[in-house]
Amino acid sequence: MKRLEESLHEAPIIDKDGYSYLVHPVSNGVPMLDPQLLREVVVGITRAADLDVDKIVAPEAMGIHIATALSLQTDVPLVVIRKREYGLDGEVALHQTTGYSESEMFINDIEAGDRVLVVDDLLSTGGTLAAICGALDDIGAEVSDIVVAIRKVGETALDDTDYEATSLVDISVDEDGVEIH
């Protein structure tokens, strides 16, 4: 994960109401995402994840590029958990709370018995992943694995679930920058 680690040290940190927010190509799309960095992340996830699944699941927005590349690499179909309601049959709503926002998200195309791999860019507060796993449980899907590119160390909402996430790199962030653990 040489490129990923180097890019984390170069990433700007901004203050969002007392929350040290990492601005990174993998998690924000800015600065520009180098294809070699994306490739390194996808290869890392391919090696770390349980890929014996029916579907890859990723939340909108910043999990999409990683999950799309992973889907192309593995030929596993991709389901995006959307921020917009479409009103399709079987659509399931979930409420997510993060360190800096609250919103509704909507799941389509997941059925009871589906084995899914949940992929995301960043695990920070865990609010999004905990809400997604809870909704997938309610549907009757089996969360086979959760893999994130970057995890901020510390307690998260995922700690209050039966799920654990695998990360490619663990970090801490403060106003002075990023520390890799």
Side-chain angles (χ1 to χ4, degrees), residues 5-127:
E5 291 180 8
E6 288 173 357
S7 68
L8 286 163
H9 287 298
E10 297 167 0
I13 308 299
I14 62 171
D15 184 313
K16 285 191 100 161
D17 300 322
Y19 181 84
S20 293
Y21 190 88
L22 172 71
V23 181
H24 188 268
V26 169
S27 60
N28 300 96
V30 293
M32 175 178 57
L33 178 57
D34 183 290
Q36 293 176 336
L37 174 57
L38 180 58
R39 184 177 301 110
E40 180 181 82
V41 167
V42 171
V43 168
I45 292 173
T46 301
R47 291 178 178 157
D50 175 358
L51 295 172
D52 183 21
V53 295
D54 302 307
K55 297 169 184 169
I56 296 168
V57 174
E60 184 179 10
M62 294 316 300
I64 295 174
H65 60 289
I66 296 169
T68 298
L70 184 63
S71 176
L72 288 169
Q73 184 70 27
T74 60
D75 288 325
V76 176
L78 169 61
V79 174
V80 176
I81 299 178
R82 301 300 309 245
K83 295 179 180 178
R84 180 182 311 167
E85 182 176 11
Y86 289 94
L88 299 173
D89 288 340
E91 187 169 70
V92 174
L94 65 97
H95 183 80
Q96 60 122 3
T97 303
T98 69
Y100 48 88
S101 71
E102 286 187 50
S103 65
E104 299 296 316
M105 299 184 84
F106 301 90
I107 302 175
N108 289 284
D109 298 315
I110 299 292
E111 316 242 341
D114 283 347
R115 287 178 43 85
V116 300
L117 164 63
V118 179
V119 175
D120 206 359
D121 60 318
L122 176 70
L123 171 55
S124 181
T125 64

Side-chain angles (χ1 to χ4, degrees), residues 97-170:
T97 303
T98 69
Y100 48 88
S101 71
E102 286 187 50
S103 65
E104 299 296 316
M105 299 184 84
F106 301 90
I107 302 175
N108 289 284
D109 298 315
I110 299 292
E111 316 242 341
D114 283 347
R115 287 178 43 85
V116 300
L117 164 63
V118 179
V119 175
D120 206 359
D121 60 318
L122 176 70
L123 171 55
S124 181
T125 64
T128 301
L129 289 176
I132 288 169
C133 289
L136 292 169
D137 281 346
D138 291 346
I139 293 168
E142 178 187 340
V143 178
S144 298
D145 206 354
I146 304 166
V147 182
V148 296
I150 304 163
R151 173 179 30 215
K152 287 177 75 177
V153 297
E155 293 182 13
T156 74
L158 202 58
D159 296 339
D160 297 329
T161 72
D162 293 332
Y163 295 102
E164 292 184 27
T166 300
S167 61
L168 301 182
V169 65
D170 290 344

